[in-house]
Amino acid sequence: MPEQKFSKYVQNWPEESREAAQLVIDQYGEPNETTDSQLVWHRPGPWKRIVASKTFYEHNFPAPHNDSVESVIDYRVPPEKFSELAAFDGSVIVERTAGEVSARCHDEQANFLALNLMHDIVTGAKSVDEARAYYAKEFGDYRRKKPTPYMEKLRFNQQERGAADPDVRVLTDEDLAQAKREGEQRG
């Protein structure tokens, strides 16, 4: 069996992250940005951004694997759903202010699966327990070469506009000016 060829960007990466990054390179071509430790693609396929990292994280859900490829979408998650998403999968990352949600796993298919289930939890279509059980089922079905609809594509429309949540101002300009005056008086 011939040895796999790796991109010049990942030749010196650990095997666990090198293989995962190479899958993205094979799918979307050369990255838009590179550093010694990360590769970034802007607007590849359905994603806002994909980041492949030299650093990888051991993840045991639903079975032991390594996470090193993060797929990002624009999506507003109501704050009251954050705990449910954290309970669902620690590799689903919500950035409230930026209006982004990402999944970090080994490959794009697993990220589709995680983000589709994230959407099901946010919309109330599945509970955390139902989403975890479905994730495990589809993960196994992928290996059985059975249909895996949640791993094929995003099954919902992204929220490209209005996903950011800058929160609510609680300090007025006068509050800030008063604080500054008090600070100056203290020296």
Side-chain angles (χ1 to χ4, degrees):
M1 180 175 196
E3 190 173 317
Q4 183 175 357
K5 288 248 185 198
F6 290 100
S7 165
K8 64 184 178 185
Y9 301 114
V10 297
Q11 284 177 351
N12 297 320
W13 285 19
E15 181 181 342
E16 296 85 350
S17 54
R18 181 179 60 223
E19 177 190 341
Q22 189 62 50
L23 291 171
V24 182
I25 293 167
D26 293 346
Q27 176 72 22
Y28 294 111
E30 296 293 314
N32 300 108
E33 297 178 33
T34 64
T35 69
D36 289 341
S37 61
Q38 286 191 334
L39 308 177
V40 181
W41 291 260
H42 297 285
R43 296 279 174 206
W47 309 109
K48 179 178 186 178
R49 177 174 67 254
I50 295 178
V51 179
S53 297
K54 182 177 185 179
T55 302
F56 61 92
Y57 303 92
E58 292 180 15
H59 191 196
N60 291 325
F61 173 73
H65 65 280
N66 295 303
D67 290 351
S68 62
V69 173
E70 184 177 11
S71 301
V72 182
I73 61 172
D74 286 313
Y75 193 98
R76 182 179 277 200
V77 174
E80 62 272 14
K81 292 290 187 175
F82 283 27
S83 293
E84 290 178 65
L85 294 179
F88 161 60
D89 184 344
S91 293
V92 171
I93 303 140
V94 180
E95 295 277 351
R96 177 180 174 188
T97 304
E100 296 179 342
V101 177
S102 64
R104 184 177 49 230
C105 203
H106 178 266
D107 57 34
E108 183 177 42
Q109 291 73 27
N111 289 344
F112 279 135
L113 176 58
L115 290 174
N116 282 322
L117 289 167
M118 172 278 306
H119 177 73
D120 282 355
I121 291 168
V122 169
T123 61
K126 285 184 176 44
S127 69
V128 170
D129 290 340
E130 290 168 336
R132 286 178 65 86
Y134 187 87
Y135 194 114
K137 176 197 174 304
E138 192 144 316
F139 192 89
D141 284 350
Y142 183 79
R143 286 185 165 65
R144 292 180 194 101
K145 300 194 183 306
K146 292 176 81 175
T148 53
Y150 273 51
M151 295 178 92
E152 295 171 2
K153 64 180 182 176
L154 292 175
R155 299 170 55 84
F156 58 91
N157 292 325
Q158 292 187 53
Q159 305 163 335
E160 300 217 8
R161 299 220 187 279
D165 183 356
D167 212 334
V168 178
R169 183 176 185 166
V170 296
L171 294 172
T172 66
D173 288 341
E174 179 53 38
D175 293 333
L176 296 172
Q178 178 64 30
K180 183 177 179 183
R181 286 191 296 276
E182 290 172 15
E184 289 169 351
Q185 290 173 354
R186 290 190 181 175

